[in-house]
Amino acid sequence: MDNIHTLQEFMLHTKNIIYILILLALAAFPLFWRFLNGRDKE
Amino acid sequence: MSISRRKFLGWMGGASLVAAGARKAHAAANRSFEGYAGSLAVLHDITRCIGCRRCEAGCNAVNELPQPEKPFDDLTVLEKRRRTSAPAYTVVNRFAPAGDGQPPVFVKKQCNHCLEPACASACFVKAFTKTPQGAVIYNPNVCVGCRYCMIACPFEIPAYEYDKALDPRVTKCTLCHPRILEGKLPGCVEACPTEALVFGPRDELIRMARDRMRAHPGRYLDHIYGEHEMGGTSWLYLSGQPFETLGMREDLGTAPAGQLTSGALGAVPMVVGLWPVLLTGIWAITQRKEKIAAHEQAQAVAAARAETEAQAEVRLKTALEKAAKENAAAVAREVKKALETAKTAPQGESDTEKKS
Amino acid sequence: MTSPQTTTGPGRLLTPFNLVAGIIVVFGMIITILRFTGGLASVTNLSDDNPWGLWIGFDLLVGVALAAGGYVTSAAVYIFGLKRFHAAVRPAILTGFLGYALVVLALHYDVGRPWRLPYPFVVSAGTTSLLFEVAACVALYLTVLFIEFSPAALEWLGLKRARHLVTRLTLVLTILGVVLSTLHQSSLGALFLIVPAKLHPLWYTPYLPIYFFITSTIAGLSMVICESALSHRYFHGKMDAAHLSGNRDLTLGFGKAASWVLLGYFVIKVIGIAADNQWHYLGTGFGAWYLVELLGFVALPAFMYAVGVREKNITIIRWTAAWTVLGIVVNRFNVCLVAFNWHLPAEQRYFPHWMEIGISVFIVTLGILVFRFIVTRMPILHAHPDYDAH
């Protein structure tokens, strides 16, 4: 965090991470949904 | 007016989203970003400017810009108010103050090199960078040419090479960043004959501005333009006339550009995180309802069938019983008849009756 | 009873419609050449003060809003379980897909170096920009729409296995479509959050992203009604029984939804004025124009939709839908062009060059031509005989 001097740098840093998390979340939702309903045999 | 508006960042309707959006802005506001220590700036003392346009000439020379139609010593250009453009990173404008006999006022206009640049916040390819030395510089090698930086800039500075078909660039003052790195002055500051422009560390320039205010009571308004505007800029201005009358907006507020967008940006991951949950939930509920409806329908059909069957059975049973009763009655009747005939008939006939 | 313009038998190429479309396409090509040889200056009225003009205001902002029918209809059918509107999904997805494709095409004219459009994702990601969010979502959503549309093309081509694979993704694609649409529809409004000093206070509000999202659903509902009316008229022969009989039900259902959402939008618009205490601006010239938008293009259609639904009057609903679509155009123009730079003197304001309008007309014409090409060949307005319509 020592190299962050401006709000712009802070936002760039945090948004970079958040966009990666967003991609992971989008992949996680359908996979977890399948896991959640994996035993429902109907 | 606009400050309270900017403080209010929770833009999503849902309460949880409002809280999330506000917390993000809070997180940013809670951490105070002081900018780069010792970054450089320019103080423009408007009261000292004589409108000679030497700064424009200096800028033109060091940036190797095309020669304008009218030479820089032609002051008739000042009759029309100008803005920065692709071939002119800086322009000087003349303003007539209110009241008769007042001398005209000259103001230099160029990129203010914001501490928190709106152009950098708006750029989707990071073409703009606030350097530790103070300049906001532009990288044409990644620029797509969407011109959102020009929309975003509150000072209306960036210009565009509209006449270039395939390689147009956004253009603006660089604070002579390459010269600063070499230890030289920006071209305009070097060219200024009246010390209306002073280059130095921003903190020191603010102190110098205050000193001048103290030293010359009545000469300046008590406002260093750029100290707080849009989060502060690396160009600072001193004036004896209200800045608003000099084409400089005083309604920009002090919130940096990033704070204006942080609420909306903060809602993006909330939508990604919660929409799939909500929508899948709604889908599952409709599915379940449909299944229950189908199940109930099947049950109703089965029940109806069972009922009809039961009714049929009952009907059958009663019919059978009735038939059986009728049978029995018929048998009894026949027996009775037979017995009666047997009484009157001879013995042999009665034997036949028994056998049957 | 297919109308003469659209019976495109091989011998009927010289119809009035084709003639007009042909002329527009030729003009479009000429302006395209001018744009990519002479730069924006040769075909637009854009300036340093007005960097965004018609191609952003209409082609991007209006185009994206009017292409919202895809996510609205597929969400209604696949998520909210309104299966009786199933016949409307394919036409809505097709217009959505074409709409977004044309938006991206139009951007190639507007930006300086169009081949760099993927740069935000592969070279230098400027994640602090709302435009990054818009670009990412539009790129992803265009892909989603393409996959959602593909079953029709695969049925046409007879690729049964591929078609089966894609249809298994329906729910995931629908949810992803709604997520992406929520994000970029709202972010288009959020683009203007950074310019409180340039956008008129009546239009500048922190609620801008919500307004843009809500109006996109209104636009989507209204566009589906309009499209179904036009398809009914011009592609009647291509429609099967399910599409023909469902048309009335669809118009009534979507009309009712649009009326209800318009009411909600009206409420939050009024609250927006109260939140920033901008009442006094209503007495100005801009205020009058704002009231025209608010009363004429929000309150009025909300009421007229309701009348149409109550009276079961399809004609009223269809005309209201067209009026609402016009209202969306007015709203996007107001934010991007009319109320933007309101502080500048008249001579510094922007008005589009005729060639800018020419390119916009050219792109819309391309959309209609491609739409006609597809619906006259692929199972869009009718179910493919080999597949049941779910």
Side-chain angles (χ1 to χ4, degrees), chain B residues 123-208:
Chain B
C123 183
F124 72 160
V125 286
K126 287 188 294 187
F128 292 94
T129 317
K130 176 74 178 176
T131 65
Q133 291 79 20
V136 176
I137 54 169
Y138 164 76
N139 176 8
N141 296 323
V142 293
C143 178
V144 180
C146 72
R147 308 186 296 285
Y148 188 30
C149 51
M150 301 166 68
I151 293 281
C153 177
F155 302 108
E156 296 165 356
I157 295 302
Y160 188 72
E161 296 175 322
Y162 284 103
D163 51 346
K164 291 203 179 167
L166 297 173
D167 55 348
R169 291 170 306 168
V170 169
T171 63
K172 73 169 196 68
C173 157
T174 63
L175 200 62
C176 287
H177 186 61
R179 287 170 59 88
I180 291 178
L181 292 181
E182 291 170 21
K184 294 183 194 162
L185 287 173
C188 54
V189 177
E190 197 173 64
C192 181
T194 62
E195 286 183 28
L197 302 175
V198 185
F199 181 73
R202 187 171 183 271
D203 303 343
E204 276 180 36
L205 292 181
I206 290 174
R207 244 173 281 135
M208 177 191 281

Side-chain angles (χ1 to χ4, degrees), chain B residues 1 5-6 8-13 83-86 118 120-127 138 140-148 150-156 158-160 162-169 230 249 251-252 257-258 260-261 264-265 267-269 271-272 275-276 279-280 282-283 286-287 290, chain C residues 35-42 44 46-52 78-81 83 110-117 119-120 123-133 135 171 175 178-179 182-183 186-187 190-198 201 204-207 209-210 213 276 278 340-341 343-344:
Chain B
M1 180 263 307
R5 181 170 62 213
R6 280 161 196 161
F8 183 73
L9 289 160
W11 63 277
M12 286 302 287
R83 61 154 288 159
T84 51
S85 60
S121 175
C123 183
F124 72 160
V125 286
K126 287 188 294 187
Y138 164 76
N141 296 323
V142 293
C143 178
V144 180
C146 72
R147 308 186 296 285
Y148 188 30
M150 301 166 68
I151 293 281
C153 177
F155 302 108
E156 296 165 356
Y160 188 72
Y162 284 103
D163 51 346
K164 291 203 179 167
L166 297 173
D167 55 348
R169 291 170 306 168
M230 290 298 288
R249 299 188 62 172
D251 57 350
L252 298 177
L260 297 169
T261 56
L265 282 171
V268 169
V271 170
V272 176
W275 247 222
L279 296 171
T280 316
I282 292 173
W283 174 80
T286 34
Q287 287 289 103
E290 277 171 18
Chain C
R35 152 67 183 92
F36 287 104
T37 51
L40 286 174
S42 57
T44 72
L46 296 176
S47 65
D48 290 334
D49 286 323
N50 302 288
W52 284 358
Y78 295 127
I79 296 175
F80 294 93
K83 299 234 163 85
D110 189 75
V111 304
R113 309 191 204 204
W115 57 92
R116 285 185 179 177
L117 278 170
Y119 270 31
V123 175
S124 180
T127 48
T128 57
S129 172
L130 261 317
L131 197 59
F132 178 86
E133 209 279 320
L171 181 66
I175 292 179
V178 177
V179 170
T182 309
L183 290 176
S186 58
S187 291
L191 286 180
F192 295 90
L193 288 179
I194 206 165
V195 288
K198 293 186 182 177
Y204 184 90
T205 146
Y207 296 129
I210 308 185
F213 173 60
D276 287 336
Q278 313 287 27
F340 187 82
N341 272 342
H343 60 291
L344 291 183

Side-chain angles (χ1 to χ4, degrees), chain B residues 272-320:
Chain B
V272 176
L274 296 179
W275 247 222
V277 173
L278 184 72
L279 296 171
T280 316
I282 292 173
W283 174 80
I285 291 167
T286 34
Q287 287 289 103
R288 178 109 189 101
K289 272 188 181 163
E290 277 171 18
K291 200 179 281 171
I292 290 172
H295 184 67
E296 278 174 353
Q297 200 182 2
Q299 264 185 338
V301 168
R305 192 185 296 137
E307 203 184 330
T308 340
E309 274 169 12
Q311 278 173 355
E313 213 164 285
V314 169
R315 228 176 294 133
L316 189 69
K317 213 171 153 190
T318 45
L320 282 174

